Amino acid sequence: MDNSIREKRKFDYAWIMIGLCFMMILTSLGFCSSGRTLYLTAITGALGIPRGAFALNDTFRYVTTTIINMYFGKLVYRFGMKKLICAGFLCLIAFALLNTVATTVYTFYFASILLGLGLSWTGTTMVSSIVHRWCTSNKGTITGAVLAANGVGGAIAVQILSPIIFQEGNPFGYRTSYMVVSCVLLVALALVLILFREKPKGQENVSGEIPKKQKKARGAGWIGMDYSEALKKPYLYVALLCMFFTGMALQGLGGIAVPHMYDVGISIEFVAMLTSFTSVLLTVSKFATGFLYDRLGMRISMNIGFVCSFISLLGLVFLANTPEGRVLAVVRGVAGVVALPLETVMLPLFASELFGNKNFDKFVGLFVSASCAGFAIGSPFANFCFDFFGGYQIAFLIFGAMMLFVTVAMQFVLSAAHRDRKKILAEVAGNREITL
């Protein structure tokens, strides 16, 4: 009786932890990242900073995130999740407050480094690790639902912050906006301090304990491979290269899709409407991706994303200011949204699918780090192509070649990883029979 009550409490508190994860993504990514584009014209206009120089903020942010995520597993092992999350929110609060007093581009660069630190410990990597630790099944669906909070938070942030940033007669409204953001983050930090638990009570090993009855469930994960052993596997490095190319291509496309639509003559009103529609759809897409993984497995769910990335690329290549072209813009926009979870929701699922539970924190940190490295150069590379060639067509071709490589390579990576997985599970089963 006592055991059943304890199990019920674990289940109940897992939902509280999922709610905390949703809140973390909504406040950190939603208010600090999704709304970043709102500030570009306001800050550069108020301070007279060139847009190109100010845009380097994102490079500082993604380079920082890349470096920190490489050591995510070690940091969690040494300090624990709660301390890192609190440190992350403190960095985000410092980022927001620093932006209220910054007057030079170098101060904004330093603030972006703080943003990269903060999001490394409150964003995708951290919540994926928490879900992996607290949820025993349907991890794909839950991860997708949690990461969908980014879109929800972004939509809320736009409604709250836009009127503050663009106050009539006040070019420095963005400073008040960042004060509001810091208050939101402070509330989130307080909730983490009060409600966060490091791990479920009675859980001896959060990253590799073998259940007595090993069941095959896509959303439950598997025992996993030793980190030292995985480092000897060539397909780990191929997978990391694929994460890098995917991050670079999809982030690059995201950064140039709207300017390209303007370049071909599509109206600002139509582009704004399409952008709003796809932003809402992205929330659904993230949840659906996790759900599909739990129901259909990795190969089908990832290939859907790869196919949609090609549709999005082709749509941009043939875009034109015609009725047919606007229909194509909608189709490629929807396809692009379906592909985008490849750089978010799918990263922890790749880590779990390929290398299992044993060293999940280390592997998800590596995958997110590789993806963020791609983020850092995707958009600058695409815009360099525009400056050099007079258009984005070359960038589309290069991104298309990258995604073709990723699509083919990941089939072999998945097959090789599944072969090793079968061997490990067979060895575990054999050892258990000998013990019995």
Side-chain angles (χ1 to χ4, degrees), residues 4-23:
S4 64
I5 294 174
R6 192 178 295 113
E7 290 299 321
K8 187 177 186 300
R9 286 176 179 169
K10 287 182 185 178
F11 172 81
D12 289 342
Y13 212 85
W15 285 108
I16 294 176
M17 293 299 295
I18 292 169
L20 272 180
C21 288
F22 190 92
M23 179 275 300

Side-chain angles (χ1 to χ4, degrees), residues 56-340:
L56 287 175
N57 275 319
D58 283 340
T59 300
F60 282 94
R61 164 194 166 180
Y62 288 128
V63 168
T64 302
T65 307
T66 298
I67 295 171
I68 295 301
N69 274 289
M70 290 176 66
Y71 302 97
F72 179 79
K74 292 182 179 179
L75 291 171
V76 168
Y77 179 79
R78 182 169 181 178
F79 298 105
M81 289 181 171
K82 187 171 185 177
K83 289 181 180 178
L84 289 180
I85 294 169
C86 291
F89 274 114
L90 289 174
C91 286
L92 292 178
I93 292 169
F95 149 78
L97 292 177
L98 195 57
N99 279 337
T100 66
V101 298
T103 56
T104 67
V105 70
Y106 302 105
T107 311
F108 285 109
Y109 291 163
F110 181 69
S112 290
I113 292 173
L114 292 174
L115 175 64
L117 281 170
L119 293 180
S120 295
W121 296 326
T122 63
T124 300
T125 317
M126 182 59 76
V127 299
S128 300
S129 188
I130 294 170
V131 169
H132 189 83
R133 180 175 291 193
W134 280 83
C135 302
T136 57
S137 61
N138 296 317
K139 292 179 182 179
T141 304
I142 295 170
T143 300
V146 166
L147 293 180
N150 186 7
V152 177
I156 295 172
V158 167
Q159 296 301 315
I160 295 174
L161 301 180
S162 288
I164 301 174
I165 296 171
F166 300 106
Q167 298 174 46
E168 187 174 352
N170 181 13
F172 295 97
Y174 71 87
R175 291 177 173 172
T176 306
S177 172
Y178 272 121
M179 288 297 297
V180 173
V181 170
S182 66
C183 291
V184 171
L185 295 170
L186 191 60
V187 172
L189 173 60
L191 289 173
V192 170
L193 286 170
I194 296 169
L195 298 174
F196 190 88
R197 289 183 184 176
E198 197 69 28
K199 61 183 179 180
K201 290 181 180 179
Q203 189 180 69
E204 296 177 1
N205 187 341
V206 298
S207 60
E209 184 69 20
I210 310 167
K212 291 183 179 180
K213 292 184 179 180
Q214 188 79 27
K215 74 173 184 177
K216 185 177 180 181
R218 294 184 179 96
W222 60 290
I223 177 176
M225 183 184 298
D226 289 327
Y227 187 70
S228 58
E229 183 64 24
L231 293 177
K232 302 174 184 177
K233 301 294 183 181
Y235 61 80
L236 168 62
Y237 304 99
V238 177
L240 290 174
L241 183 61
C242 289
M243 301 304 108
F244 172 79
F245 280 164
T246 301
M248 182 177 174
L250 294 182
Q251 188 74 10
L253 287 178
I256 64 178
V258 170
H260 182 65
M261 284 189 280
Y262 291 150
D263 290 343
V264 299
I266 296 177
S267 69
I268 295 174
E269 293 77 15
F270 181 86
V271 173
M273 180 191 67
L274 181 59
T275 302
S276 298
F277 170 68
T278 54
S279 296
V280 174
L281 189 61
L282 181 59
T283 301
V284 179
S285 175
K286 287 183 176 181
F287 175 80
T289 298
F291 180 83
L292 284 175
Y293 168 76
D294 286 336
R295 299 301 181 272
L296 303 177
M298 175 58 74
R299 197 177 298 272
I300 293 176
S301 54
M302 76 176 186
N303 285 337
I304 289 173
F306 292 147
V307 170
C308 286
S309 70
F310 285 116
I311 294 173
S312 183
L313 272 164
L314 288 173
L316 285 170
V317 170
F318 295 105
L319 216 55
N321 186 23
T322 62
E324 295 82 5
R326 286 187 285 275
V327 171
L328 184 61
V330 174
V331 172
R332 67 104 350 226
V334 172
V337 166
V338 175
L340 277 178

